[in-house]
Amino acid sequence: MPQVVRSRNGALHGPSPVPPLPHRFRSLADRESVEVLHRAARVLVASLPALTDRLVEALYAQEPAYRAAIDSGRAEVWQEVHHSLRHNVGSLIQPREFRESAHRTSRWIGEIRAEQGVPLDAVLHAFRMGGAMVWQDLVDETARRDPDDIRLLVHVAADVWNFVDEHCGVVADAYRQAERRLSWRRENRQRLMVAALLDGTARIADLAEAAEMLGLPEQGRYAVLAVAEGRRSAAGPADAGVARHGPGLVSASDAGVARHVPGSAARPPVALPAAHPGAAALWHPGPDAEFAILPLTGPPGELSELAAALDVPAGTRAGIGSAVEGMAALGDARRLAETALRACPATGGTVLLDEHLPDALVVSSPSLAGALADRVLGPLERLDPADRHVIVETLTAWLDADGSAQRAGARLYCHRNTVLNRLRRFEQLTDRCLTRPRDAVEVSLALAARRLLGT
C-alpha cells in the first residue's frame, strides 16, 4: 500500500509557496490518526478468523456469482479471503512490509477467479465488500475503545478507500490478463482440434471433447466445403492434408457473417444461406484452400440445395464433398471436398461432388486421366489448332445435349448436319465410334481430362 496517510499541512495552512521537502514526521493530527488506525487494525488482525467468517457469509448472501464456488469449496474460498484480509489489514499497519505481498495476493485472486469464470464485476464487488467490512470494523473498534477518536479515524478514511481502489485495479488487471491467456488457449485448442478433425488424425477418445468444445454433435451428418481462388489448386492428390497449425478458426452463421478469431479472416470466403442448417459452419484455413465443416440435418437433397444457394464470388472455386456420418469421418469429408474443388473450372464456380463423379474420377488420378486423353484425343493434334478447337467444341456440345445433334447445333449456331459431319470426322481421325457406349464413355472422360487438367 502506498503511504497510508498523506500530509495535510497544505489542507490546514494553505498551499506552500515552494515545493515542500520530504517530511520525516507527521503533524500531531496525522500521528494521532495513524495511532488510532493502528490500534484498531491490530484488533482486526487478532480477530481475522471471525472477520473471514462474516465476509464469506456476506459474499454467499449478497454476491450470487460466488455461491457456486463457496458451495463446491468453502474451505478454499475461506483460505483465500483470510489470506487477502491478513495482507491487506497488515498493510494498514506496515505498508512497506506488506505492500508487495498484498499485491501478489490480489493478482493471484484475479487470476484464479478468471480461470473459474467468475465475472469481473463480481470479483470487484467482493473486494469492495471486504473493504467496507474492514472499515466498519475499524470504526466499531475505535468507537468501542474511545468514541472521541472516531474524528481522528475519519482523517485516514480517504487513504483506506484509495487502498481498496488500488487493489481493485490490481485485481482487474490480473483478471483481464488471465482472461486473454485463457481465450488464446481456448482458441488455440479449437484451432488444433478442427485441424486434426479435417486432417483425419483426431483420436476417437477426443471426439466427445471436440463435440462439446465446438458445439457440434459427435454422431451427426457432415459435409465439408472447400473454397479457393479461381485457379487450379496445387494441393496435389486428394490426401494432401490440411495445415495442422493453420492461422485461425472462424465460426460462420447468419448469411456467412463470421465471429472473428484472432489470426483469421474477419469474414468467410463465401456466404452461406442463412436459412440453411449448414450456415452454422466452422471455417478453417488450409495451405491451398479454406474449409468449412457443414453440419447436416435436412433431407438427402440438402447438399444440392446448399450448392445452388451458395453465394460464390466471381473467380472463386468452391467444392462440396459427399456427406459422411460422424465427426470421425471428417477427414474423409475434407478429402472429398478437395476432390470436388479440383473438379471446378479454373475460372471459378461451384461443384457438388455427388453431381460430378466422372470429373472426380478424372482429377483423382491425373496421370491415368492424362494417358486416356492422349490415347483418345491424341490424333487430333495433327489438325490445325482452329480445326481441333471446332471438333472438340462440337463433341462437348453434343455430349452436353445428351447426344442430340439438333440441340448441339442450336448451341453452336449451325445446322445439325454440320454437327454430324464434324462427329464423323472425329470418328475417322480417332477410330472411335460415338454410338458404342464404351467409346462414348472414354471420349467423355478424355474431354473432362482435357478441360480439368489442361492435357
Side-chain angles (χ1 to χ4, degrees):
M1 185 181 77
Q3 189 71 22
V4 175
V5 179
R6 297 185 302 272
S7 173
R8 291 188 303 283
N9 285 344
L12 296 174
H13 307 293
S16 174
V18 294
L21 295 174
H23 291 288
R24 296 184 181 274
F25 61 90
R26 292 185 177 91
S27 68
L28 180 61
D30 282 337
R31 186 165 56 250
E32 291 177 348
S33 299
V34 171
E35 289 174 357
V36 170
L37 174 66
H38 285 182
R39 281 198 301 270
R42 290 190 188 98
V43 175
L44 263 63
V45 170
S47 60
L48 272 182
L51 176 59
T52 303
D53 288 339
R54 287 191 289 120
L55 182 52
V56 171
E57 290 300 325
L59 287 174
Y60 191 87
Q62 301 178 36
E63 185 45 72
Y66 268 75
R67 287 174 189 165
I70 294 173
D71 285 334
S72 62
R74 176 178 287 267
E76 293 180 4
V77 176
W78 193 96
Q79 289 293 341
E80 172 192 312
V81 172
H82 183 269
H83 195 66
S84 178
L85 287 174
R86 180 163 60 86
H87 285 86
N88 291 340
V89 175
S91 294
L92 299 178
I93 305 170
Q94 297 175 297
R96 293 180 181 177
E97 290 79 357
F98 280 89
R99 186 176 192 273
E100 288 303 320
S101 59
H103 277 196
R104 284 196 300 270
T105 300
S106 295
R107 283 194 294 269
W108 171 68
I109 291 174
E111 290 174 355
I112 64 171
R113 287 294 173 244
E115 292 173 359
Q116 294 170 348
V118 178
L120 177 57
D121 287 347
V123 181
L124 296 179
H125 182 213
F127 258 77
R128 293 190 175 99
M129 286 176 62
M133 189 169 289
V134 167
W135 174 250
Q136 187 60 52
D137 281 10
L138 291 172
V139 172
D140 291 346
E141 174 58 27
T142 302
R144 185 189 65 80
R145 181 182 294 272
D146 187 348
D148 290 339
D149 285 345
I150 292 179
R151 61 180 179 80
L152 296 173
L153 188 63
V154 170
H155 293 162
V156 297
D159 300 282
V160 172
W161 284 106
N162 286 339
F163 173 81
V164 173
D165 286 342
E166 175 188 342
H167 278 261
C168 284
V170 171
V171 168
D173 184 61
Y175 185 102
R176 294 188 182 102
Q177 290 184 21
E179 198 173 39
R180 285 193 292 270
R181 289 195 301 270
L182 292 169
S183 177
W184 181 88
R185 291 173 188 166
R186 182 171 55 252
E187 291 161 4
N188 195 49
R189 287 185 63 200
Q190 288 181 334
R191 187 162 46 242
L192 295 177
M193 183 62 72
V194 172
L197 289 171
L198 290 173
D199 203 32
T201 57
R203 300 185 304 172
I204 297 298
D206 293 336
L207 293 180
E209 179 187 357
E212 181 179 0
M213 181 191 305
L214 302 175
L216 298 173
E218 181 180 352
Q219 301 301 329
R221 290 174 60 247
Y222 293 97
V224 170
L225 164 67
V227 181
E229 295 179 358
R231 55 183 174 80
R232 216 167 354 260
S233 172
D239 59 352
V242 297
R244 194 179 299 274
H245 300 284
L249 169 70
V250 178
S251 176
S253 62
D254 294 341
V257 177
R259 294 192 296 272
H260 179 63
V261 175
S264 62
R267 297 183 63 87
V270 299
L272 298 167
H276 196 278
L282 285 175
W283 285 93
H284 185 85
D288 301 296
E290 295 195 52
F291 300 92
I293 298 176
L294 307 175
L296 304 177
T297 58
E302 180 180 9
L303 282 178
S304 297
E305 296 175 3
L306 177 61
L310 202 62
D311 185 8
V312 179
T316 299
R317 296 178 301 123
I320 304 175
S322 303
V324 299
E325 295 291 336
M327 296 185 77
L330 280 172
D332 295 332
R334 187 267 305 168
R335 286 185 281 273
L336 293 172
E338 286 183 321
T339 300
L341 183 64
R342 288 194 296 275
C344 285
T347 55
T350 302
V351 165
L352 177 60
L353 184 65
D354 291 347
E355 297 176 357
H356 294 80
L357 292 177
D359 290 350
L361 289 174
V362 168
V363 298
S364 294
S365 182
S367 59
L368 291 178
L372 177 63
D374 290 341
R375 179 180 176 184
V376 173
L377 303 177
L380 299 182
E381 295 300 319
R382 298 193 298 267
L383 300 176
D384 292 335
D387 289 343
R388 183 167 62 247
H389 173 75
V390 168
I391 290 181
V392 169
E393 182 183 44
T394 302
L395 274 171
T396 302
W398 180 75
L399 289 170
D400 289 344
D402 297 326
S404 169
Q406 185 72 36
R407 292 201 298 274
R411 292 185 181 185
L412 298 172
Y413 302 102
C414 65
H415 195 273
R416 64 181 297 275
N417 290 339
T418 303
V419 173
L420 294 174
N421 288 336
R422 293 172 182 172
L423 295 179
R424 280 194 292 271
R425 188 182 181 197
F426 169 78
E427 290 177 329
Q428 292 168 357
L429 289 169
T430 62
D431 197 24
R432 302 278 168 172
C433 179
L434 293 174
T435 58
R436 186 184 301 137
R438 181 186 181 93
D439 286 356
V441 169
E442 289 186 351
V443 169
S444 178
L445 292 176
L447 289 172
R450 179 189 178 97
R451 170 172 51 85
L452 294 171
L453 304 176
T455 58

